[in-house]
Amino acid sequence: MDEIEIGHGRKATVGYSFDDIAIVPSRRTRDAADVSTTWQLDAQLFEAPILAAPMDSVTSPQTAITMGHMGMMGVLDLEGLWCRYADPEPLLEEIAQLDTSDAHDRMQQIYSRPIDPDLIQRRLQEIRDAGAPVACALSPQRTQEYWDLVAEVGVDFFVIRGTVVSAEHVSSNREPLNLKRFIYDLDVPVIVGGVASYTAALHLMRTGAAGVLAGFGGGAATANRRTIGVAVPMATAVASVAAARREYMDETGGRYVHVIADGQVSTSGDLVKAIACGADGVMLGTALARATEAPGHGYLWGSESYNNKLIRGERRFVGTAGSIEQIINGPSLDASGHTNFVGALRQAMGMTGYSDVKEFQRVGVVTGQG
């Protein structure tokens, strides 16, 4: 990685966001109708490498079902309103209508209601009964507390998602989650993150995870750079985690860990560049919050925005771009990159001549204006 000197004795590495890079067309092209966007994640085959982020403003049981019927997967946040209230719809609508000055305090009040174990099982069963893949997420702090409830229902994928997740968390006030032992004892694929560096990703892969989330999640709803000074541009984060995977494959004799870009994937171009940087798939938040069916009613927020100790995110208006079907599969409504994510991926693969997503990970990228 390139290094620059920021002062006497202090050096920094140069990082690149998706806006800083662009894809170079190949000497060989391919008809977009002849490429495959399918993605094999463990035993599950998906029509496109897209997950819906576990955020109340993005994924409800119904939108998870819709994603599943489209050949993708929605991840339900088990710490969100769907597992705190039998009918959260009025509260979701209220959050969307709050004045900015009142939003944090009121959201804290709403989210102060305890998680209901019965609702956890009811929501997951609802998704399963509809014939969609069942995926859910908990923070590392809540995983040990609620996993047994999840296991009783049974899930296809379990996501342990935090702003930063490490394989070596140290705590003096509680027993930290032992990821390696936890994953070993489970009978379902575990996806864990976020992580944004080569070394941290390699350690997470050694826990036995099926997938690693590259990035800090939250996208437009986070403010980590402003509040705690922590941020890694996503193109660099994805490429670093993908490089760790190559090292892990060498040391294990070929065990493959999926890399999923989580955060700052707002447009179809971001999805394309994430895969070109080495991601197998992406977790969409902002893009799907723009769907007419999104539970956030045109707003995006994550758990960081109602934290009662340190606010590291915000509720943000993202508007509405179309239905989930239009956002994922088109037709495109304009040139903003907010609709037809799969179509954009097909076009980019056609321009570079690659026939499937796995091949497309090897596409060249250049720095410059994306």
Side-chain angles (χ1 to χ4, degrees):
M1 293 178 66
D2 298 333
E3 282 194 344
I4 58 173
E5 187 172 289
I6 59 175
H8 188 70
R10 291 288 180 182
K11 292 185 178 181
T13 57
V14 178
Y16 299 94
S17 71
F18 292 139
D19 286 341
D20 296 323
I21 63 171
I23 295 170
V24 180
S26 171
R27 64 177 178 81
R28 181 185 64 178
T29 58
R30 188 181 297 270
D31 194 302
D34 295 333
V35 306
S36 172
T37 61
T38 59
W39 176 34
Q40 183 83 33
L41 178 57
D42 198 70
Q44 192 92 28
L45 181 67
F46 295 102
E47 292 298 319
I50 296 173
L51 306 178
M55 303 167 73
D56 275 346
S57 52
V58 175
T59 304
S60 66
Q62 186 55 54
T63 59
I65 291 168
T66 299
M67 290 288 291
H69 290 171
M70 290 170 56
M72 284 152 275
M73 185 167 69
V75 183
L76 187 68
D77 180 13
L78 299 187
E79 299 174 42
L81 298 184
W82 298 99
C83 296
R84 296 176 191 260
Y85 295 88
D87 181 14
E89 292 284 2
L91 295 169
L92 291 163
E93 188 172 349
E94 179 187 350
I95 290 173
Q97 295 176 351
L98 291 171
D99 290 335
T100 301
S101 59
D102 301 327
H104 176 257
D105 289 345
R106 178 57 182 145
M107 288 173 72
Q108 274 196 337
Q109 293 172 359
I110 292 172
Y111 279 92
S112 65
R113 184 171 182 140
I115 295 170
D116 185 337
D118 290 337
L119 284 174
I120 288 179
Q121 296 190 318
R122 190 192 310 175
R123 302 307 187 195
L124 296 177
Q125 191 63 51
E126 180 182 346
I127 298 171
R128 181 168 299 286
D129 289 346
V134 183
C136 62
L138 286 167
S139 64
Q141 297 86 349
R142 297 284 181 86
T143 293
Q144 293 183 112
E145 184 178 357
Y146 293 109
W147 166 248
D148 58 337
L149 298 170
V150 176
E152 288 180 20
V153 177
V155 295
D156 298 303
F157 295 93
F158 181 62
V159 179
I160 301 174
R161 186 180 190 246
T163 302
V164 175
V165 176
S166 76
E168 300 180 10
H169 183 67
V170 178
S171 175
S172 61
N173 55 34
R174 61 182 172 83
E175 183 67 25
L177 176 67
N178 185 321
L179 277 173
K180 189 169 186 177
R181 184 178 64 196
F182 180 81
I183 291 172
Y184 179 81
D185 289 340
L186 294 183
D187 195 28
V188 298
V190 177
I191 299 169
V192 61
V195 66
S197 70
Y198 175 93
T199 302
L202 188 57
H203 279 267
L204 275 188
M205 291 173 185
R206 288 170 178 162
T207 66
V212 171
L213 299 174
F216 297 138
T222 61
N224 284 321
R225 183 188 292 272
R226 294 195 304 270
T227 55
I228 57 177
V230 173
V232 179
M234 275 298 289
T236 294
V238 171
S240 297
V241 176
R245 175 179 55 206
R246 290 193 295 271
E247 172 69 20
Y248 180 71
M249 289 180 68
D250 288 342
E251 70 177 42
T252 59
R255 183 179 184 272
Y256 192 86
V257 178
H258 292 267
V259 175
I260 301 168
D262 182 17
Q264 300 174 34
V265 184
S266 300
T267 67
S268 57
D270 294 335
L271 178 150
V272 171
K273 295 174 191 178
I275 294 176
C277 287
D280 297 275
V282 300
M283 185 168 275
L284 294 184
T286 303
L288 291 176
R290 292 190 171 104
T292 52
E293 306 98 317
H297 300 278
Y299 279 83
L300 177 73
W301 68 87
S303 59
E304 302 90 349
S305 60
Y306 54 83
N307 188 287
N308 59 6
K309 293 182 179 178
L310 179 65
I311 306 172
R312 292 180 293 104
E314 56 192 17
R315 183 201 59 150
R316 178 172 295 186
F317 180 70
V318 295
T320 301
S323 67
I324 293 177
E325 177 69 32
Q326 288 172 317
I327 288 171
I328 298 297
N329 292 321
S332 295
L333 302 178
D334 54 41
S336 65
H338 295 154
T339 55
N340 202 353
F341 277 64
V342 171
L345 179 58
R346 285 184 175 278
Q347 287 290 333
M349 291 169 65
M351 289 180 183
T352 51
Y354 292 101
S355 62
D356 59 45
V357 173
K358 190 62 66 179
E359 282 190 349
F360 187 65
Q361 287 179 324
R362 298 192 291 271
V363 73
V365 295
V366 295
T367 58
Q369 185 65 38

